[in-house]
Amino acid sequence: MKRNVLVWVEVAIIAALSMSLSFIPDFAGWFTPSFGAIILVIFSLRRGLTPGLAAGLLWGLIHFPLGKVSFLSVEQVLIEYIIAFTVMGLAGLVYGPFQKALKNDKFSSAIVWSGIAALLGVGVRYFVHYIAGVLFWGQYAPEGTSPWVYSLSVNGTAGAGTFLVVMVACILLIRQKKIWIAK
Ligand code: 218
C-alpha cells in the first residue's frame, strides 16, 4: 500500500479501536477513565501530530452515529465531542524525540517522552472537559458545591485516571517496538 494510504487506513482503524474501548461501562459515572486514550496516545507517538489529530477527530465523530453523545447544547457537543477528542492528537507533538529515543533502545527516555505525550493529549482534553463542565454541567453539582469545584473533581479525577491507564500501558508495551515504530 502507498505509505500515505496506509497512514489513513491506520487512522480509521485506531479511531474504531478507541471507540470500542469507550464501550467499557461507565463504572464510576463521569469519573470513569477514558480507556480509548491508550490507543490514541500510542498512535500519535507512532505516526505524529497530523494523523493523531485526525484519529482523535474521527473518534469524536464516531460517537454521533453510535448515539454515544451526551447532549446538553450544540456548543457543548462541539466542544466535548469535536474539540476535546481532536486535541488528544497533541500527544504527537513529541513524536520526534520519542521515535529517536526508542530507535536507540533508550527505553527510560522513551517512557518519559510518552509521559509528556500523555500529559499533552490527556491533559488538554480534560482541561477542555473541565471548562465545559463549568459552563454546561453546573446544574448537576451537589447542593452547595460550586460548578468550578464540581467540574474540577469530576474531570480532574477522570483525567488523572486516564493519564494513569495510558502510562501503565506505555510502560508495559514500551519494549514492543513494532507497535511504536512504523515501517
Ligand atoms: C462535570 C462534568 N460532567 C460531565 C461532563 C461531560 N464529559 C466529561 C468527560 C468526557 C466527556 C466526553 C465523553 O466521554 C464528556 C461529555 C463534563 N465535561 N463535566
Side-chain angles (χ1 to χ4, degrees):
M1 219 181 306
K2 263 177 68 183
R3 188 183 167 84
N4 218 1
V5 179
L6 177 61
V7 174
W8 289 108
V9 169
E10 285 185 18
V11 164
I13 293 171
I14 291 302
L17 282 177
S18 299
M19 188 71 228
S20 72
L21 291 191
S22 295
F23 280 84
I24 294 174
D26 289 338
F27 52 82
W30 286 115
F31 293 92
T32 310
S34 171
F35 293 96
I38 295 169
I39 291 170
L40 204 100
V41 169
I42 292 177
F43 180 64
S44 302
L45 287 168
R46 170 185 167 90
R47 287 299 193 180
L49 181 62
T50 307
L53 292 170
L57 171 62
L58 193 54
W59 178 18
L61 289 174
I62 297 174
H63 284 72
F64 290 83
L66 294 181
K68 290 283 267 180
V69 172
S70 296
F71 179 96
L72 296 180
S73 70
V74 173
E75 295 89 334
Q76 174 261 334
V77 164
L78 289 178
I79 291 171
E80 296 207 270
Y81 290 91
I82 308 290
I83 297 175
F85 281 88
T86 304
V87 295
M88 294 212 76
L90 290 174
L93 280 173
V94 299
Y95 165 80
F98 174 82
Q99 289 283 319
K100 194 173 167 204
L102 200 57
K103 279 176 182 157
N104 293 314
D105 286 341
K106 293 188 172 153
F107 294 108
S108 313
S109 167
I111 285 174
V112 172
W113 285 113
S114 74
I116 296 171
L119 275 181
L120 280 167
V122 176
V124 177
R125 173 181 168 188
Y126 277 90
F127 180 71
V128 172
H129 288 311
Y130 166 67
I131 298 296
V134 175
L135 294 176
F136 305 107
W137 294 84
Q139 78 232 42
Y140 296 96
E143 276 287 315
T145 307
S146 80
W148 297 94
V149 172
Y150 173 61
S151 186
L152 186 65
S153 74
V154 170
N155 294 300
T157 306
T162 302
F163 175 77
L164 207 73
V165 296
V166 170
M167 286 319 296
V168 169
C170 287
I171 291 166
L172 291 176
L173 294 171
I174 198 70
R175 284 172 185 273
Q176 314 300 318
K177 288 170 75 172
K178 269 190 186 165
I179 299 175
W180 304 93
I181 300 174
K183 286 220 190 84

